Structures are given as structure tokens and as C-alpha cells.
Amino acid sequence: MESIVSFLANLHSVLAALLATIFTWLVTALGASLVFFFRDLSRVWQDVMLGFTGGVMLAASFWSLLNPAIEYAEELYPGMSWMPAAIGFLLGSLFIFALDKLAPHLHISFKQSEAEGVKTRWHRTTLLILAITIHNIPEGLAVGVLFGAAANGVDGVTVASAVVLAFGIGLQNFPEGFAVAMPLRRMGISRRKSFWYGQLSAVVEPVAGVAGAAAVLYIRPVLPYALAFAAGAMIYVVVEEVIPETQRDKFTDQAVLGLIIGFTVMMVLDVALG
């Protein structure tokens, strides 16, 4: 861990963010590759995996993003440190809300008739991939923003905390990659195409990571807003997409336990290592 942190600390923050988000993308691909070795994924494990994903995202939103945003804002706006966090959080949520309403997509466990966004005749596979792509934008953005914040010397934010966030996102991307690829396989798509589409859903993370790191590196005053923006985007995804998907079958309790475990793991990682 220390060697990785040391290596990334010596790189330009945008390059470090790119490498970190490439890692999260590759972990998604690794999870999707399980489609070559398993015939199916039981619904209970799919719900537990999605719950775990939601827990990691919730914990990261506070410990890695909102808390540093509020601490740093205290330097810029004494006595009003809540303002940038509140504004950024709302803007991040509204950004994903707008994408959700405009971009055609379909959540994993939903029927074709439940597709969201602008009406289209696109194939179910395309709609599924777009749903996960929207999900992955705030994850890549969060990692990039944190690397940019570390380069700007924000109190409470270090390269180590950015690495921990990338590791946590990668940790939840592994089961997510499998949870995306397997339903595609169940639809009759070949294993190779299921893997390809499963990993493709996370290719947006390096793009969002680079954009986030570059934005906060060169425009320092937006830092607390950007950190809270990423948090708002992630929490919107969890509440609007991840949690509802885990509550559509009889394994709701298992899904909630998965979320609790994911939250705990990310919290421990961030506090102990970040």
C-alpha cells in the first residue's frame, strides 16, 4: 500500500487519477470475466452484491468527500462551511437526476417496459449498459476530485485517502461487473459479448476521473463544491438505483446486510488507511 501511495504521490495528480480509475475499470472487467466460469448468478447473491456496492458508495460519500469538503470550506468561508457542501451536494444530485431523466436506460432487474429516460427503441442490452454507465460517472469523478484535492494540499485529504477511495470503488466494482455481465448472459448473449458489455460500463470512470482531477487542480476555489458534488451524485445513484433494485425480490434482508457490510468496510478502510 505504501509503495503504491508513494508512486502515485510522485505523479501529476491528473495522471495519478487516470491510473487509479483505470484500476477501477480493470477490476470491473475482472468481475465481468467470471461470466466465463459460472453459468448463472442467484438472485440472492446479486442483491447482496448490489447492497455491498451501495454501502461502499454511501460510506465514501461521507468519509472521503463530504467531510473533507466541509473541513476545507471552513478556511474559505469561516462560519459558513456548510454552504459549499450543501450547494455542491444539491448540484451533484441534480446532475444525475437530469441524466436519469434524459438518457435512455434500464436497471438490471427491471422489465423493458420500465425503461427510464427519453423513449427509444434501443435494444435492452444497450439500455442496461447505459444504466451502469450513469452509475459509474460519479465513482470516477469522486476518485479524480480526491486526487486533485490532495495535490492542492487540502486538510484531511491525502494521496493515501485518494488511493483508499479508488481501492474501495474497485472493491465494489468487482461484484458489480459480474452482476452486470451475468444478466446479459441470462438474456442469451454470448459469454464474450456479456463480458465485453460488462466491462464497457466502467470505461467512463477514467474519463470522469481525469475531468474531476483537472477541474479541481486548476480551479482551487471549486474544491469543496466538487467534493460535495461527487458525494451528491453518488448518493443519488444509491437511493434511486441501487437500493430499489435490491428490494424487488424476497432477499431484501440479505441486501440490507450487504449494504451494512459494504458501508463498514469502506468506513474502516478510509479511517484506518486514509
Side-chain angles (χ1 to χ4, degrees), residues 42-48 246-257:
S42 67
R43 183 56 192 262
V44 61
W45 283 110
Q46 177 178 310
D47 287 346
V48 169
T246 65
Q247 303 299 302
R248 292 172 64 87
D249 211 312
K250 59 184 178 180
F251 306 111
T252 57
D253 290 344
Q254 293 90 328
V256 172
L257 290 175

Side-chain angles (χ1 to χ4, degrees), residues 1-245:
M1 179 71 172
E2 291 182 5
S3 59
I4 295 174
V5 172
S6 178
F7 171 71
L8 293 177
N10 291 321
L11 299 178
H12 191 281
S13 61
V14 174
L15 178 57
L18 175 63
L19 293 178
T21 46
I22 286 176
F23 162 75
T24 62
W25 171 28
L26 292 177
V27 175
T28 304
L30 186 61
S33 70
L34 294 179
V35 76
F36 291 110
F37 307 101
F38 294 91
R39 289 186 175 183
D40 201 357
L41 174 66
S42 67
R43 183 56 192 262
V44 61
W45 283 110
Q46 177 178 310
D47 287 346
V48 169
M49 288 178 177
L50 287 174
F52 182 87
T53 293
V56 169
M57 293 175 72
L58 285 176
S61 296
F62 176 75
W63 298 102
S64 300
L65 299 169
L66 276 177
N67 194 45
I70 294 171
E71 289 183 2
Y72 180 61
E74 189 62 44
E75 300 177 17
L76 302 177
Y77 310 94
M80 296 186 67
S81 57
W82 55 267
M83 184 185 68
I87 293 174
F89 187 85
L90 290 172
L91 289 176
S93 301
L94 290 173
F95 172 70
I96 300 299
F97 171 79
L99 279 181
D100 190 62
K101 295 302 179 184
L102 296 174
H105 63 284
L106 178 67
H107 300 313
I108 293 174
S109 303
F110 286 40
K111 300 176 182 178
Q112 183 80 27
S113 60
E114 297 177 281
E116 300 177 9
V118 176
K119 298 299 180 183
T120 179
R121 295 183 179 180
W122 290 351
H123 193 274
R124 178 182 174 86
T125 304
T126 304
L127 296 175
L128 285 169
I129 295 169
L130 283 174
I132 303 301
T133 299
I134 293 172
H135 176 154
N136 285 327
I137 290 174
E139 295 176 5
L141 184 64
V143 174
V145 166
L146 214 58
F147 272 103
N152 268 312
V154 175
D155 289 340
V157 179
T158 64
V159 173
S161 61
V163 170
V164 167
L165 177 60
F167 179 77
I169 295 296
L171 189 65
Q172 58 97 23
N173 275 2
F174 180 81
E176 182 181 273
F178 188 38
V180 174
M182 189 53 70
L184 297 177
R185 175 59 181 161
R186 199 181 297 130
M187 290 164 50
I189 298 173
S190 69
R191 294 181 187 275
R192 183 176 298 179
K193 285 187 176 181
S194 296
F195 163 74
W196 174 254
Y197 292 137
Q199 63 81 33
L200 191 64
S201 64
V203 74
V204 70
E205 289 191 5
V207 178
V210 167
V216 300
L217 179 64
Y218 298 112
I219 314 176
R220 186 181 175 91
V222 308
L223 257 172
Y225 298 94
L227 288 165
F229 182 98
M234 287 217 291
I235 288 182
Y236 185 93
V237 166
V238 173
V239 176
E240 195 279 333
E241 176 187 337
V242 177
I243 292 177
E245 285 191 32

